[in-house]
Amino acid sequence: MISVSKALDQLFLLTKQMPTETIPLAQANGRVLAQPVAATRDQPPFSASAMDGYAVSAEGVAPGASYTVIGEAAAGHAFDGTTSAGQAVRIFTGAPVPDGAGHVVIQEDIERSGDMITITDRLGTGTNIRPAGGDFKVGQTIDAPRILRPNDIALMAAMNIATVTVARRPRVAILATGDELVMPGDPPGPDQIIASNSFGLQAMLRDAGCEARLLPIARDTENSLKTAFSLIDNADLLITIGGASVGDHDLVGDVAASLGMERSFYKIAMRPGKPLMAGTLTNGTMMIGLPGNPVSALVCGQVFVLPAVRAMQGLGQTASPEQTAQLAHDLPQNGPRQHYMRAIVEHGTIRVFDNQDSSLLTILSTANALLIAPPHAEAMTKGTKVRYLSI
């Protein structure tokens, strides 16, 4: 068995970075920006009013000062002229500040009679003007790589960027194996269960920016597995679920090897998820073989698969980010394998579920964290700071 960190190092050696593609900005949310982008204009492109009010000269702004209103400026409609001392332009939020003006007195601080306004003693502080380029200037960049989120999309739109270059989504084929499995909605036989791991992994991978598709369930025969492997097509990554152990019906490793897979490693010193393997198929597709127990498969997805697909998208070769919290209770010593324990984090403390059986999806569904107990960790008391993964 190898450690989790060494297994991750081996996985990163197998990953290949995705090629890039250029897509419309409207399709870029959730994609990984592969090349920096630069603003093509200043924002705002002119000094703009931050409030509804009156634009006046910067000099002499004080309670009691009076001005003659000579025009109006609104968003998209600038005042065509120049203001001089003693003159004001009615202005609305977002409108260009007229030439000659250096202060916007908000309308609540003004008394108006016809075309005359007077500043009241409520005059506040600040000019209420957003300077040209105050948000960003021409040439200012958004660095890559990064996962694009709605705020980034809004910023790039304001920068007048219509297309972006992103990493192609990794194509992932998911293969569940086992005579005991049927698809959700199909009537199970007396000795069968519903396939769940593949659906959880597909959702996890789609959230991580992948194109993830389910292959037909492979039965526990060499012919069925070989047929399933032939359906991989253009996948960048094949994930198999089940059949990776050493039982008489665990054939995935042998079939993959017969098809030319170069195995990188097999068996990890972790709980849950000891029977995990990885390698490369003859067509260049990376393969990760996950254990069949539902919790084991999904925990291994968090620990190994997500870092691999992030690396494929150019986001660096790093483990899933860890956080810390204080134990809400005592925790007994750990055994020789790194244990990822389902837990709940609330208000800075973490509580581990009593039952950590690797078949219990209900507990995984309730958990929002995996506490990481290192190999041979000593017993820990309440209040000890521990590491965990958010899930």
Side-chain angles (χ1 to χ4, degrees):
M1 292 189 294
I2 64 174
S3 67
V4 170
S5 61
K6 288 184 177 179
L8 274 172
D9 289 341
Q10 291 296 313
L11 275 179
F12 291 142
L13 291 175
L14 300 176
T15 59
K16 296 178 181 178
Q17 195 160 322
M18 294 295 96
T20 62
E21 58 186 4
T22 300
I23 61 173
L25 181 63
Q27 299 174 14
N29 186 52
R31 302 296 296 271
V32 176
L33 184 67
Q35 295 178 4
V37 294
T40 63
R41 58 183 280 139
D42 295 344
Q43 179 69 6
F46 42 75
S47 293
S49 178
M51 304 289 285
D52 292 345
Y54 294 84
V56 299
S57 173
E59 292 75 30
V61 177
S66 295
Y67 304 86
T68 301
V69 179
I70 61 171
E72 182 177 290
H77 301 279
F79 172 72
D80 185 17
T82 301
T83 58
S84 301
Q87 295 178 327
V89 171
R90 179 72 166 117
I91 195 167
F92 297 93
T93 303
V97 175
D99 291 341
H103 195 115
V104 173
V105 183
I106 65 173
Q107 59 190 16
E108 291 83 358
D109 295 347
I110 291 292
E111 290 181 351
R112 180 166 179 170
S113 177
D115 289 337
M116 294 297 298
I117 61 169
T118 302
I119 300 177
T120 69
D121 56 8
R122 296 190 299 269
L123 179 66
T125 59
T127 65
N128 301 309
I129 293 176
R130 296 170 179 149
D135 192 0
F136 56 81
K137 296 182 182 296
V138 171
Q140 186 169 327
T141 59
I142 298 176
D143 293 332
R146 64 190 292 157
I147 299 173
L148 295 175
R149 297 304 182 201
N151 294 347
D152 301 311
I153 302 300
L155 176 57
M156 288 191 289
M159 290 177 164
N160 201 25
I161 295 166
T163 61
V164 291
T165 299
V166 297
R168 175 172 63 72
R169 293 185 186 275
R171 302 181 185 120
V172 185
I174 301 171
L175 173 60
T177 70
D179 289 344
E180 76 278 14
L181 299 178
V182 298
M183 293 290 284
D186 291 344
D191 303 319
Q192 292 184 304
I193 59 174
I194 309 301
S196 58
N197 301 347
S198 49
F199 287 88
L201 286 163
Q202 183 183 46
M204 181 186 295
L205 286 161
R206 286 178 172 172
D207 281 351
C210 300
E211 292 180 4
R213 60 188 175 92
L214 304 182
L215 299 179
I217 295 171
R219 300 306 167 190
D220 290 324
T221 67
E222 290 188 10
N223 286 338
S224 180
L225 283 166
K226 287 179 179 179
T227 299
F229 271 75
S230 72
L231 301 176
I232 295 170
D233 297 331
N234 62 350
D236 304 298
L237 171 63
L238 169 66
I239 295 178
T240 63
I241 307 167
S245 191
V246 293
D248 292 342
H249 300 283
D250 296 313
L251 306 175
V252 170
D254 291 341
V255 170
S258 73
L259 297 175
M261 182 191 79
E262 296 182 15
R263 183 182 295 183
S264 175
F265 62 83
Y266 170 60
K267 289 188 179 180
I268 314 296
M270 66 178 289
R271 296 176 58 195
K274 174 183 173 183
L276 185 142
M277 64 179 167
T280 304
L281 302 176
T282 53
N283 65 353
T285 299
M286 180 181 174
M287 174 180 162
I288 302 176
L290 302 180
N293 274 332
V295 175
S296 300
L298 292 168
V299 168
C300 287
Q302 292 283 342
V303 176
F304 296 109
V305 178
L306 290 185
V309 298
R310 285 195 291 265
M312 294 170 76
Q313 295 175 87
L315 292 172
Q317 297 185 347
T318 57
S320 292
E322 298 176 359
Q323 300 181 62
T324 59
Q326 291 185 328
L327 271 174
H329 54 82
D330 295 344
L331 194 67
Q333 67 181 27
N334 189 33
R337 291 186 283 161
Q338 185 152 296
H339 197 177
Y340 291 84
M341 309 178 75
R342 282 154 286 172
I344 288 284
V345 174
E346 293 179 315
H347 311 301
T349 63
I350 186 166
R351 178 176 297 278
V352 172
F353 287 95
D354 292 333
N355 194 337
Q356 293 291 320
D357 188 286
S358 61
S359 67
L360 301 179
L361 279 172
T362 51
I363 293 178
L364 184 63
S365 177
T366 305
N368 64 4
L370 296 172
L371 183 147
I372 305 170
H376 305 290
E378 298 292 335
M380 291 178 277
T381 58
K382 178 181 177 180
T384 301
K385 185 176 289 188
V386 295
R387 298 176 297 134
Y388 71 91
L389 300 180
S390 291
I391 58 173

